[in-house]
């Protein structure tokens, strides 16, 4: 098992690689890939278990790293945490895309006289109706209004936890705050949102 100095030295080495990658250093990028790709592929496979798709996601991750390495700030996050967040978000996006892909089944069904019937003609439209659209717009507006009632720390914590998919520990590391403080921000933020949205729902009913 690696000792703490070994881990610190590795993080420092990766931070230096990312700094060189931010300057367009391809050799540093190649080294970064060799040093981290196996670990990131493992993280991706825990979410996207189709290996072929996971390998495609891995390539997307490193394209993203090449383009955004200058945004990495070692004062805010460890390089492995930063890379892992990118990998996790890309894997989740891949999974969502996969789940939303249409299934390739035939829409036609044979009849008794060998006539084909288009089964889509018998299905209701999946498009939202006017009332659905109104409800969606009202919910989005209510959520936006309620978010404005939160403190800056609460909004930032919730954004990292629920929009970027970070764990509470990663949010704490990203913000440089104690874990207990971050958990409190997230818990109180969610409680405030729930109460605000319940009041908004009652006002519309």
């Amino acid at each position: 098992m690696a000792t703490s100095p070994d881990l610190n030295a590795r993080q420092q080495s990766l931070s230096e690689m990312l700094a060189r990658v931010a300057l367009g250093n391809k050799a540093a990028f190649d080294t970064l890939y060799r040093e981290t790709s196996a670990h990131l592929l493992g993280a991706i496979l825990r979410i996207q278990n189709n290996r072929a798709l996971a390998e495609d996601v891995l390539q997307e991750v490193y394209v993203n790293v090449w383009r955004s390495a200058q945004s990495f700030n070692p004062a805010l996050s460890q390089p492995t945490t930063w890379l892992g967040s990118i990998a996790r978000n890309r894997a989740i996006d891949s999974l969502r895309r996969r789940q939303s892909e249409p299934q390739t089944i035939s829409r036609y069904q044979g009849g008794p006289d060998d006539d084909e019937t288009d089964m889509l003609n018998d299905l209701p439209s999946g498009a939202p109706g006017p009332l659905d659209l109104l409800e969606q717009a009202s919910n989005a507006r209510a959520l936006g209004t309620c978010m404005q009632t939160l403190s800056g720390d609460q909004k930032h914590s919730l954004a990292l936890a629920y929009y970027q998919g970070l764990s509470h520990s990663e949010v704490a590391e990203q913000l440089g705050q104690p874990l207990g403080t971050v958990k409190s921000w997230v818990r109180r933020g969610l409680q405030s949102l729930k109460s605000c949205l319940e009041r908004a729902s009652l006002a519309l009913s």
Side-chain angles (χ1 to χ4, degrees):
M1 181 178 294
T3 62
S4 182
D6 290 335
L7 291 174
N8 290 336
R10 173 172 167 74
Q11 297 293 349
Q12 179 63 32
S13 175
L14 293 176
S15 293
E16 292 171 357
M17 288 180 208
L18 282 168
R20 293 197 297 273
V21 171
L23 298 175
N25 188 313
K26 293 182 179 179
F29 182 75
D30 289 341
T31 302
L32 181 73
Y33 182 88
R34 290 195 302 271
E35 291 286 331
T36 60
S37 58
H39 173 74
L40 293 186
L41 180 60
I44 293 167
L45 281 168
R46 285 195 289 272
I47 299 170
Q48 171 56 269
N49 57 17
N50 181 310
R51 188 173 183 92
L53 292 176
E55 290 175 349
D56 289 342
V57 170
L58 185 68
Q59 298 310 309
E60 292 179 16
V61 168
Y62 282 97
V63 169
N64 189 302
V65 169
W66 175 256
R67 291 174 177 170
S68 61
Q70 68 276 5
S71 69
F72 170 68
N73 185 343
L76 297 178
S77 175
Q78 296 279 21
T80 50
T81 301
W82 186 76
L83 291 168
S85 296
I86 295 175
R88 181 168 49 253
N89 291 336
R90 289 286 178 173
I92 292 171
D93 288 344
S94 170
L95 200 60
R96 287 172 178 163
R97 288 197 304 267
R98 182 69 173 174
Q99 291 171 344
S100 67
E101 288 177 356
Q103 300 299 312
T104 55
I105 59 175
S106 175
R107 57 186 281 191
Y108 297 100
Q109 184 178 46
D113 299 323
D114 293 331
D115 294 329
E116 287 188 337
T117 301
D118 188 345
M119 293 186 291
L120 291 184
N121 291 335
D122 299 326
L123 294 177
S125 171
L131 291 177
D132 296 321
L133 292 173
L134 178 60
E135 182 179 3
Q136 290 172 12
S138 297
N139 290 340
R141 186 165 57 249
L143 179 59
T145 300
C146 290
M147 285 292 289
Q148 296 306 313
T149 67
L150 303 182
S151 70
D153 291 329
Q154 289 172 340
K155 284 190 286 189
H156 199 176
S157 298
L158 288 173
L160 290 172
Y162 291 96
Y163 290 104
Q164 295 191 27
L166 301 187
S167 68
H168 286 167
S169 297
E170 290 169 338
V171 173
E173 184 175 5
Q174 189 87 349
L175 298 181
Q177 296 290 339
L179 179 59
T181 299
V182 167
K183 286 183 176 181
S184 177
W185 287 342
V186 171
R187 183 177 64 256
R188 291 177 181 175
L190 288 174
Q191 289 172 344
S192 297
L193 279 181
K194 180 183 178 183
S195 298
C196 182
L197 289 172
E198 286 175 348
R199 290 194 299 272
S201 178
L202 289 174
L204 291 173
S205 60

